[in-house]
Amino acid sequence: MADSRPGLYLIAYDIAHPKRLGRVHRILKKEGLPVQYSIFTVVMKRPRLLRLLDRIAEQIKEAEDDVRCYRLPENTETASLGKQYFPADVMLFSGGVDRLLGVAGKIVSGEDGSA
């Protein structure tokens, strides 16, 4: 993927100390969408992602903490089981990642998939 196109990234972390955990969480909360307790997704261009990871690296202790970043393919197939939590101001789309990346998607609301 070219640096000029936004990509979808999954960032997961396991931070040993509560103070560092809070700092990393606040950094990611400003930049992405929390998916689970210590997992965020971000959509951004690679140079911005590298700056984000540098900011996180300044907050952690490499011998104690673990932060991982994975680039997800544009056509990611996913499955979700159990209760899903998203903040009230988050709209979910069928093909939501595609829409964020500039490809048309279909709005989905309700459990039956009706709009």
Side-chain angles (χ1 to χ4, degrees):
M1 172 180 274
D3 284 354
S4 62
R5 290 197 49 220
L8 175 66
Y9 298 90
L10 183 94
I11 301 175
Y13 57 90
D14 185 10
I15 308 294
H17 191 275
K19 197 172 198 177
R20 292 193 308 269
L21 173 68
R23 288 182 193 142
V24 170
H25 181 81
R26 282 189 296 278
I27 289 170
L28 285 168
K29 195 171 177 183
K30 291 177 184 176
E31 299 289 342
L33 176 67
V35 179
Q36 291 185 348
Y37 289 117
S38 296
I39 301 174
F40 280 77
T41 57
V42 295
V43 176
M44 56 184 54
K45 296 176 183 176
R46 185 171 170 75
R48 184 173 168 198
L49 173 74
L50 295 175
R51 288 191 302 272
L52 172 63
L53 295 175
D54 284 343
R55 287 177 44 214
I56 292 171
E58 293 171 358
Q59 302 302 319
I60 69 167
K61 287 190 177 180
E62 289 187 16
E64 299 177 20
D65 303 328
D66 183 18
V67 178
R68 297 170 185 237
C69 178
Y70 303 95
R71 185 179 176 281
L72 300 176
E74 288 185 25
N75 296 320
T76 304
E77 185 175 323
T78 64
S80 299
L81 304 173
K83 182 178 178 184
Q84 309 301 306
Y85 168 76
F86 290 96
D89 60 343
V90 172
M91 262 171 54
L92 299 179
F93 297 89
S94 160
V97 171
D98 292 338
R99 178 165 263 187
L100 286 172
L101 297 175
V103 180
K106 178 178 116 184
I107 295 177
V108 175
S109 64
E111 291 179 6
D112 63 354
S114 61

